[in-house]
Amino acid sequence: HAFARAWSWLIMKTIFSPVKVSGLGKIDTSKPHVYAVNHASALDIPMLYVNLPFQFRILFKSELLSYPIIGWHLKRSGQVCVNQQEPSRSVAQIRSALKSLRAGMPLVIFPEGGRTPDGEIKPFMPGAFFLAIKAQADIVPIALVGTFELLPMNTYHIKCHPLEMRVGEPIPTTGLKGHDMEALSAKVQKAVEQLYYDSSY
């Protein structure tokens, strides 16, 4: 985590884009929450590492393992790999993540399943909330604003742009079961969208 944070700090310093963080004070960071974040840019992860003041693990797609340096780090640092083509190969990773979450390690998820190609929030995948329900952990919605304009998908040209990390109120999962995933997903998506599209910030 320390390596990733230092690497992310260097990246954020070189893009010359100010970051405004709001709402983090609403969260009891001593508790293991699941943080549900919109995904618009390759810079989302560095932004989270720099601005979330605690250690966490990330649920990521197996395709990222092929990326230089990033794949090596994800494998070595205990992040949670999910194979979307062959979910059965992810069972051990999911069990490990559930154990870590119950033991107090926060988890970051990107419920859209991938980066948005146009800057708009895409439908959330209900299965992304399986771990939160199993661990009965609150879900914290987070909207990253400006990262798409800074570095959209399929480009390496960074355009300096003010960034924001907006943190919403925790959404409880106490008492929820597997059949509640669809409704929970819709509720979390609505919360992230309200944060993302709110012009009053």
Side-chain angles (χ1 to χ4, degrees):
H1 189 86
F3 170 82
R5 199 163 193 207
W7 163 73
S8 299
W9 183 85
L10 287 171
I11 290 174
M12 297 305 291
K13 284 295 182 183
T14 59
I15 61 176
F16 302 107
S17 297
V19 180
K20 176 185 175 184
V21 178
S22 56
L24 199 56
K26 307 171 187 173
I27 310 303
D28 180 357
T29 56
S30 67
K31 295 181 179 179
H33 299 310
V34 171
Y35 294 82
V37 189
N38 65 300
H39 201 6
S41 170
L43 290 172
D44 292 342
I45 290 176
M47 190 169 167
L48 290 170
Y49 268 114
V50 170
N51 293 289
L52 288 178
F54 47 80
Q55 191 171 161
F56 56 85
R57 296 292 180 263
I58 297 172
L59 193 71
F60 72 95
K61 296 188 299 181
S62 57
E63 288 88 340
L64 292 180
L65 291 173
S66 63
Y67 284 44
I69 301 178
I70 293 174
W72 171 84
H73 170 71
L74 290 170
K75 192 183 298 183
R76 289 292 300 271
S77 59
Q79 312 304 322
V80 186
C81 177
V82 174
N83 190 316
Q84 292 179 319
Q85 279 68 46
E86 299 179 66
S88 61
R89 297 181 63 180
S90 307
V91 172
Q93 287 272 340
I94 295 297
R95 284 178 178 163
S96 176
L98 180 58
K99 185 178 179 181
S100 294
L101 184 59
R102 284 173 170 165
M105 178 61 71
L107 183 68
V108 169
I109 63 173
F110 296 99
E112 292 163 282
R115 283 177 286 166
T116 173
D118 58 9
E120 302 298 320
I121 293 178
K122 300 307 174 188
F124 282 10
M125 301 168 64
F129 301 98
F130 169 80
L131 284 170
I133 289 177
K134 289 293 286 184
Q136 296 288 278
D138 290 356
I139 298 168
V140 178
I142 294 181
L144 300 183
V145 181
T147 56
F148 178 81
E149 290 77 9
L150 181 73
L151 184 66
M153 201 162 93
N154 301 322
T155 180
Y156 296 101
H157 181 63
I158 293 176
K159 301 175 183 177
C160 298
H161 192 279
L163 304 173
E164 289 188 60
M165 185 177 85
R166 302 172 180 173
V167 182
E169 297 283 351
I171 297 171
T173 63
T174 306
L176 297 184
K177 305 292 184 184
H179 58 77
D180 296 308
M181 278 196 290
E182 291 273 358
L184 178 62
S185 178
K187 187 174 184 178
V188 177
Q189 176 159 358
K190 183 178 179 181
V192 174
E193 287 177 340
Q194 286 176 338
L195 290 167
Y196 186 75
Y197 294 112
D198 190 345
S199 59
S200 65
Y201 274 86

